[in-house]
Amino acid sequence: DAGYGSESNYRFLEDSLPEHTALIPYGTMIKENSRKWKSDDRKVMTWDYYEADDYYIDSKGVRLNFNAYRKGLISMDLYVILKSTSPKN
């Protein structure tokens, strides 16, 4: 069940049992630790990020600049704010 790795469960464990370490993997933890995931050029997590100027450079050397924040509908009652990027021309 994906609910075990929720933030509220981690917080409960940290607050209630500070002497213990939580060993609850989150939903994609095993995938993210695989060699295939880490070498996938399409994953933003494998790109270089430059915080000072707020841009990414992907594995092909394309610079993706911050463009705008966008509001996206995930479900009927859940919205997410997305950080949109665009390639530098």
Side-chain angles (χ1 to χ4, degrees):
D1 181 57
Y4 289 115
S6 68
E7 182 180 352
S8 61
N9 284 344
Y10 281 112
R11 190 172 312 250
F12 170 78
L13 289 171
E14 288 175 350
D15 294 343
S16 301
L17 305 166
E19 68 279 359
H20 292 84
T21 302
L23 298 175
I24 304 170
Y26 52 92
T28 59
M29 181 178 165
I30 294 170
K31 278 186 183 179
E32 288 176 16
N33 288 328
S34 71
R35 191 174 321 162
K36 182 179 177 183
W37 179 282
K38 290 179 180 179
S39 64
D40 189 346
D41 295 340
R42 297 170 297 164
K43 305 283 189 239
V44 175
M45 290 73 68
T46 64
W47 300 351
D48 294 322
Y49 178 65
Y50 298 88
E51 187 174 3
D53 295 322
D54 198 16
Y55 68 90
Y56 288 94
I57 294 187
D58 71 6
S59 60
K60 295 176 183 157
V62 176
R63 178 177 168 156
L64 296 149
N65 295 316
F66 170 74
N67 188 11
Y69 286 105
R70 309 244 188 249
K71 186 176 178 182
L73 179 66
I74 291 179
S75 66
M76 293 306 289
D77 59 347
L78 180 62
Y79 283 89
V80 65
I81 301 298
L82 303 171
K83 192 171 185 180
S84 176
T85 59
S86 61
K88 183 178 183 181
N89 295 330

